[in-house]
Amino acid sequence: MKFETVAFVAADGQPAQTALNRLRHRYGHTPPEKADVIVALGGDGFMLECLHRHIDRKVPIYGMNRGTVGFLMNVYSEEGLMERLERAEAVQLHPLRMQTLTMNGEEHEALAINEVSLLRETRQAAKIRISIDGKMRMEELVCDGVLVATPAGSTAYNLSAHGPIVPMGAGVLALTPISAFRPRRWRGALLSHKVTVEFSILEGAKRPVSAVADYTEVRDVARVTVREARDKALSLLFDPEHNLEERIIAEQFLP
């Protein structure tokens, strides 16, 4: 890919801000809303912010790690950046669309690139009913919560909750319980990316639950519907020798 203009954006941390100044001085800078490509400097959290901020522009984003984890980022280097951008391979992601109905009848909608998670709000465990494409699959899950993760998000909160790592292009989503109490041995499920998942909150007044799409939270939900947003497409750029598909495979063989 050939890019004529590049925008540099950075997280607030000192390493990211230092890199921002050096790269803008060396390569120039175009405002993000006008650039052909955006270079994001920071960690995975900042990358998520960038993806959400530019989700309607369909502009490719190339991350360089100036944060901590950096699973979605490339190795940082100031040398040969334009050549790296030209060689980079694009990975297309579709976010999840979360639609919620609260206990007082309010409706909300948000997009999630990593996962949609339902979490208990108080000391009492949540009770959640799960339906897939209109068919009830679990009458009552007693738990701290439950989440639906995309392949890109399967190595984030989903992995911490002992969910499976999902390869890019597998066409599946991970449905993973968080500290399930009943049924105790249920470890979750892999679902087609085309399904609609509906969570109904049982005893919501006594056992309130919040729903979170990445960093958008809706509290005291009564019903949450999750489906892939096929009308939204995100393009991430990765160096050929260290792309996202390779990272997901490698993560499964870590000690």
Side-chain angles (χ1 to χ4, degrees):
M1 288 176 283
K2 184 74 172 178
F3 299 110
E4 298 295 333
T5 56
V6 58
F8 294 98
V9 295
D12 293 332
Q14 188 59 50
Q17 288 295 313
T18 299
L20 176 69
N21 293 331
R22 292 176 66 91
L23 289 169
R24 284 184 174 181
H25 178 75
R26 183 165 183 171
Y27 294 101
H29 171 68
T30 299
E33 60 273 13
K34 297 181 179 179
D36 296 331
V37 62
I38 295 173
V39 174
L41 305 165
D44 287 345
F46 183 69
M47 173 60 87
L48 281 179
E49 290 181 26
C50 289
L51 290 169
H52 277 282
R53 188 176 298 121
H54 301 286
I55 197 168
D56 292 320
R57 273 207 64 211
K58 299 182 179 179
V59 59
I61 300 180
Y62 179 89
M64 287 201 290
N65 191 15
R66 292 284 82 188
T68 51
V69 178
F71 186 81
L72 298 175
M73 316 300 277
N74 297 284
V75 174
Y76 177 77
S77 175
E78 298 175 20
E79 302 299 324
L81 177 60
M82 299 311 294
E83 290 76 13
R84 289 176 71 185
L85 291 174
E86 290 180 13
R87 294 190 303 109
E89 297 176 350
V91 174
Q92 189 175 81
L93 307 177
H94 293 285
L96 299 174
R97 176 172 282 113
M98 177 184 79
Q99 295 173 305
T100 64
L101 177 68
T102 66
M103 297 289 292
N104 61 10
E106 295 179 354
E107 296 181 350
H108 301 272
E109 182 175 303
L111 295 174
I113 296 164
N114 270 1
E115 76 278 316
V116 171
S117 53
L118 278 67
L119 305 166
R120 66 184 176 98
E121 295 180 11
T122 68
R123 60 180 177 82
Q124 290 190 301
K127 291 187 176 181
I128 302 172
R129 179 172 294 150
I130 303 175
S131 298
I132 310 296
D133 286 341
K135 182 175 182 178
M136 186 182 69
R137 292 294 183 178
M138 183 164 292
E139 184 173 357
E140 183 180 275
L141 172 65
V142 184
C143 58
D144 280 355
V146 63
L147 61 86
V148 180
T150 66
S154 67
T155 56
Y157 191 10
N158 172 73
L159 183 60
S160 298
H162 307 291
I165 295 176
V166 180
M168 297 298 300
V172 296
L173 305 173
L175 174 64
T176 302
I178 303 169
S179 300
F181 180 68
R182 290 286 187 275
R184 192 180 298 275
R185 291 184 173 83
W186 188 61
R187 294 291 181 255
L190 291 173
L191 307 172
S192 166
H193 68 112
K194 298 179 181 179
V195 304
T196 297
V197 184
E198 183 176 293
F199 301 103
S200 300
I201 311 306
L202 309 178
E203 302 179 26
K206 180 182 179 182
R207 304 169 184 270
V209 171
S210 66
V212 184
D214 285 349
Y215 46 75
T216 300
E217 181 181 15
V218 181
R219 297 182 67 82
D220 301 332
V221 295
R223 186 176 69 245
V224 179
T225 302
V226 181
R227 60 174 61 88
E228 192 175 67
R230 299 297 297 178
D231 59 321
K232 303 287 185 180
L234 304 160
S235 181
L236 275 68
L237 298 177
F238 292 95
D239 294 328
E241 63 274 13
H242 203 38
N243 61 30
L244 185 57
E245 184 73 27
E246 168 60 25
R247 294 184 187 200
I248 290 175
I249 293 173
E251 189 76 20
Q252 300 175 78
F253 292 90
L254 292 178

